[in-house]
Amino acid sequence: DLATGAPVGVEALARWHRPGVGFVPPMEFISVAEGSSLIFELTRWMLYEACERASLWRRRDPACDLRIAVNLSGRHLIEGDLIADLVEALSVSGADPHMLELELTESTLIEDSIDLTGTLNRLRAMGVRIAIDDFGTGYSNLGYLKRFEVGRLKIDQSFVRRLKHDPQDEAIVGAIIQMASGLRLTTIAEGVEDEATLQ
């Protein structure tokens, strides 16, 4: 939080250290999983692990309200049974759904289907927060911000990391923040790794 400096949340990220190979970048194994049914199992596992962690934090500190964000596969949202998978993860872990945030990419929102709208409405009714990940790198249809009632925008790190050196990136980030503020959305900047960028 820029005002207080206190942490307000974390992001759960899938990482693979393959025996005999070493670190496999997410860009490689996530795309393979997306192209097969493995993405459903991976997303279920990520949801379960995130809920378990949120539950553990709350048990250790009943006042804990850190949120934990999970990247959601577009396929799982549209083709899978996300609601049932999430209900199971929440019930098994005992996690507070208000501590969970699901991140969608702009390309996922392009589906713009009745099923998608209904699923997002049900998630919000459960108390789960919705965020748009990597904002500014996809189609940036601003109508989606209103239609899907997202709560947060994550500004892609490709803009944030060059803030100190590129006036155009500074203008883009400033415009996104100003627009989000006008829409009463929270913004999250990805890739802030030094004091100058923080300022």
Side-chain angles (χ1 to χ4, degrees):
D1 186 310
L2 288 181
T4 66
V8 294
V10 300
E11 182 176 358
L13 298 170
R15 294 294 181 261
W16 183 18
H17 292 274
R18 184 177 177 187
V21 175
F23 179 73
V24 180
M27 291 171 57
E28 292 183 19
F29 72 84
I30 295 293
S31 61
V32 172
E34 280 277 2
S36 71
S37 60
L38 289 174
I39 195 62
F40 302 114
E41 185 176 343
L42 179 60
T43 304
R44 280 192 293 269
W45 179 74
M46 290 291 293
L47 287 171
Y48 178 79
E49 290 293 321
C51 288
E52 280 289 313
R53 184 60 53 98
S55 180
L56 174 64
W57 291 341
R58 185 60 64 80
R59 288 195 305 271
R60 289 181 176 171
D61 177 8
C64 178
D65 62 354
L66 284 175
R67 72 175 179 282
I68 184 164
V70 178
N71 292 293
L72 194 58
S73 158
R75 274 193 70 194
H76 200 119
L77 182 63
I78 295 161
E79 299 174 32
D81 195 349
L82 175 64
I83 300 294
D85 292 336
L86 184 56
V87 166
E88 181 176 353
L90 289 167
S91 62
V92 168
S93 65
D96 180 350
H98 292 90
M99 293 176 70
L100 191 64
E101 181 170 278
L102 299 180
E103 297 184 357
L104 310 172
T105 61
E106 292 172 280
S107 58
T108 300
L109 298 180
I110 287 174
E111 295 291 333
D112 199 12
S113 68
I114 294 173
D115 289 343
L116 175 59
T117 303
T119 299
L120 294 179
N121 287 339
R122 289 177 67 189
L123 290 169
R124 274 191 299 276
M126 292 168 64
V128 175
R129 300 173 186 179
I130 307 296
I132 296 182
D133 196 15
D134 302 331
F135 188 78
T137 60
Y139 297 90
S140 300
N141 183 330
L142 302 181
Y144 292 148
L145 301 181
K146 181 178 178 182
R147 177 178 173 89
F148 294 114
E149 300 178 39
V150 299
R152 302 174 194 273
L153 297 182
K154 292 187 72 176
I155 304 170
D156 189 71
Q157 62 183 318
S158 63
F159 300 117
V160 176
R161 287 195 172 154
R162 296 189 303 251
L163 276 177
K164 299 176 291 184
H165 311 293
D166 191 332
Q168 290 182 322
D169 283 332
E170 185 177 349
I172 289 170
V173 169
I176 292 172
I177 292 170
Q178 186 174 9
M179 176 200 63
S181 177
L183 295 171
R184 294 187 171 88
L185 302 176
T186 302
T187 51
I188 300 170
E190 297 179 332
V192 178
E193 296 181 359
D194 57 53
E195 187 66 26
T197 306
L198 177 68
Q199 293 303 321

